[in-house]
C-alpha cells in the first residue's frame, strides 16, 4: 500500500491546499494530511482548530485522513509508514525553501521521497497568510476557502 503525507501549517486550510491534496490523493492509496504544530510561526488557529477545519473540509474523501503533529516531519511520516511526502509548489519563491526542506528531509530519511505537485494558475498566488489578511480586513474570502473555514475566519476576526 502506497502511503503519503501532505504536511503544512494549514493556518487555515485553503482551496489551494485542497486542490493539491486532492491531486496528491490520486498518487497514493492513503494520504495523511499532516497539520504541523508550527509553534515558531505563532499560528492564529490552535492545532486542534486547524485539524478540525481540515477534517471537515476533507470529510468526503475516502483515502484521506487528517492528523496533527509536533516534532520532525520524517518521524511523523515513519509513524504512518509513509514513503512519500507530497507537497504543493506555487510561485517560484516557494522553491528555495522547499528545496532546503527536501534536502534536509532526505538526509534524515533517505527512504522517504518528496514529490511536488504544481498549484494550478488560479491558486498560484493563494496562501493562508493572504486569506487571514483579507479576513482581518473584512473582505469576502468565499472564493478562497471552504465554507467552514470562511465561518471560522469571520468568527476569529469578528465580522
Ligand atoms: O505550510 P508550511 O508552514 O510551509 O509547512 C512547513 C512544514 C510544516 C511542512 C515544515 O515546517 C515542517 O516540516 N515542519 C516540521 C519540522 C521539521 O521536520 N523540520 C525539518 C524539516 S525543515
Amino acid at each position: 500500500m502506497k502511503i503519503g503525507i501532505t504536511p503544512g501549517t494549514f493556518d487555515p486550510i485553503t482551496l489551494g491546499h485542497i486542490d493539491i491534496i486532492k491531486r496528491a490523493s490520486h498518487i497514493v492509496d492513503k494520504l495523511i494530511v499532516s497539520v504541523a504544530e508550527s509553534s515558531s510561526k505563532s499560528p492564529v488557529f490552535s492545532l486542534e482548530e486547524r485539524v478540525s477545519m481540515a477534517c471537515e473540509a476533507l470529510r468526503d474523501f475516502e483515502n484521506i485522513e487528517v492528523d496533527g503533529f509536533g516534532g520532525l516531519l520524517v518521524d511523523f511520516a515513519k509513524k504512518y509508514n509513509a514513503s512519500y511526502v507530497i507537497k504543493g509548489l506555487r510561485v517560484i519563491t516557494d522553491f528555495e525553501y522547499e528545496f532546503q526542506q527536501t534536502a534536509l528531509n532526505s538526509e534524515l530519511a533517505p527512504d522517504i521521497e518528496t514529490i511536488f505537485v504544481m498549484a494550478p494558475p488560479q491558486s498560484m498566488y493563494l496562501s493562508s497568510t493572504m486569506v487571514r489578511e483579507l479576513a482581518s480586513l473584512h473582505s469576502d474570502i468565499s472564493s478562497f476557502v471552504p465554507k467552514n473555514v470562511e465561518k471560522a475566519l469571520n468568527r476569529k476576526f469578528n465580522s
Side-chain angles (χ1 to χ4, degrees):
M1 188 179 192
K2 281 196 276 184
I3 302 172
I5 69 169
T6 292
T9 303
F10 301 111
D11 185 36
I13 193 163
T14 67
L15 293 179
H17 290 130
I18 291 171
D19 178 273
I20 300 288
I21 290 165
K22 270 193 216 169
R23 286 189 289 131
S25 76
H26 297 145
I27 298 174
V28 290
D29 300 307
K30 180 162 132 184
L31 185 74
I32 317 297
V33 173
S34 313
V35 183
E37 215 162 31
S38 296
S39 41
S40 63
K41 291 189 172 178
S42 304
V44 166
F45 291 99
S46 70
L47 180 61
E48 292 69 27
E49 287 173 316
R50 286 178 280 134
V51 168
S52 147
M53 283 187 283
C55 270
E56 166 80 23
L58 297 166
R59 68 178 171 184
D60 292 338
F61 300 96
E62 270 182 10
N63 70 332
I64 298 177
E65 287 177 24
V66 181
D67 196 5
F69 76 101
L72 282 177
L73 176 71
V74 291
D75 290 341
F76 186 75
K78 284 176 192 165
K79 179 180 137 187
Y80 274 97
N81 278 324
S83 313
Y84 306 95
V85 174
I86 311 178
K87 302 186 84 177
L89 205 53
R90 295 168 307 177
V91 286
I92 199 78
T93 45
D94 277 350
F95 184 76
E96 194 176 343
Y97 173 71
E98 295 297 349
F99 182 76
Q100 281 176 344
Q101 284 194 45
T102 302
L104 184 62
N105 286 335
S106 74
E107 190 72 29
L108 294 171
D111 294 342
I112 299 176
E113 195 65 60
T114 300
I115 300 174
F116 290 98
V117 175
M118 286 300 290
Q122 66 271 22
S123 56
M124 278 276 172
Y125 59 88
L126 187 56
S127 69
S128 300
T129 308
M130 193 199 82
V131 293
R132 286 197 311 270
E133 178 159 350
L134 288 174
S136 74
L137 297 170
H138 310 299
S139 177
D140 179 11
I141 47 167
S142 56
S143 50
F144 305 126
V145 291
K147 201 78 201 158
N148 65 310
V149 173
E150 182 188 355
K151 282 187 189 154
L153 276 164
N154 288 338
R155 261 197 315 272
K156 187 70 82 181
F157 293 104
N158 218 1
S159 58

